[in-house]
Amino acid sequence: MEKDAMEESLIDNSKPTTDSCDMQGQNPWLKEVKTTGHSFIKRGIAMVVILLAAAAAIAYCSDNQWIMVPAVISALYTLAVVVATGLVWIRVASRSVDSLTTFYSAVSGFRMLLTISVMFGYYLAYGREEMLGFLSVLAPFYVAMLVHHSIFFGMKSKIVDKFNNVKQHS
């Protein structure tokens, strides 16, 4: 008897799980959250690829090969932040919609601290003479990441409003 109750609790699919990649049987809100988060990540990766290709084209055309090291570091930094932001957003939005405003504030602070850490690491590795060049390459990646985050989640806040309206009418 106890074994049957345990099996039923393991089989209970009434609560959608966020760890499952299978979206069948989940509520529409969770599907929308996962789609939105994955779309944010994909667009962020595309943005990084475009910026890295632009940096490579500038390095090739202007014979400034030094641009590539800062560009690769900036691209890896931007990719890490975009992927982490997207995955954490999926988790936060699927569990507590009310926590999204706190999430946006926390991401801004985290992004700033991580940027300062990357700049400090580059300073330690390459010295003072190389910092201006690094900052001139990092700046477009950072600004593009800010714009991507602001526009994407600004438009996606409509999803949260729609969810809150549905939640209030239920």
Side-chain angles (χ1 to χ4, degrees), residues 4-91:
D4 293 336
M6 188 171 19
E7 285 178 4
E8 285 181 30
S9 68
L10 291 174
I11 298 174
D12 182 20
N13 291 331
S14 62
K15 297 179 187 175
T17 60
T18 57
D19 299 330
S20 171
C21 292
D22 181 25
M23 291 190 197
Q24 293 178 349
Q26 295 178 355
N27 64 28
W29 168 246
L30 190 56
K31 289 180 186 178
E32 185 72 28
V33 165
K34 285 185 177 186
T35 303
T36 301
H38 291 136
S39 177
F40 175 79
I41 293 170
K42 289 175 189 173
R43 291 178 186 194
I45 290 170
M47 172 193 68
V48 170
V49 168
I50 290 169
L51 287 171
L52 191 58
I58 291 170
Y60 178 74
C61 293
S62 66
D63 199 30
N64 287 323
Q65 302 303 320
W66 63 268
I67 292 175
M68 288 314 296
V69 171
V72 169
I73 292 171
S74 299
L76 291 174
Y77 156 74
T78 306
L79 278 175
V81 171
V82 165
V83 170
T85 301
L87 293 176
V88 173
W89 185 87
I90 290 170
R91 190 159 178 93

Side-chain angles (χ1 to χ4, degrees), residues 56-158:
I58 291 170
Y60 178 74
C61 293
S62 66
D63 199 30
N64 287 323
Q65 302 303 320
W66 63 268
I67 292 175
M68 288 314 296
V69 171
V72 169
I73 292 171
S74 299
L76 291 174
Y77 156 74
T78 306
L79 278 175
V81 171
V82 165
V83 170
T85 301
L87 293 176
V88 173
W89 185 87
I90 290 170
R91 190 159 178 93
V92 169
S94 63
R95 293 179 186 257
S96 175
V97 176
D98 298 332
S99 300
L100 284 177
T101 53
T102 304
F103 166 76
Y104 296 138
S105 299
V107 165
S108 296
F110 172 73
R111 185 175 43 230
M112 174 85 67
L113 289 174
L114 190 58
T115 303
I116 291 170
S117 299
V118 168
M119 290 187 303
F120 184 66
Y122 192 87
Y123 172 77
L124 290 177
Y126 290 96
R128 183 177 178 198
E129 301 81 30
E130 302 290 325
M131 282 305 294
L132 183 59
F134 176 69
L135 291 176
S136 66
V137 175
L138 178 66
F141 283 89
Y142 187 76
V143 169
M145 183 173 40
L146 289 175
V147 169
H148 175 249
H149 180 92
S150 299
I151 290 174
F152 194 84
F153 287 126
M155 292 184 333
K156 296 306 175 187
S157 67
K158 294 176 186 175

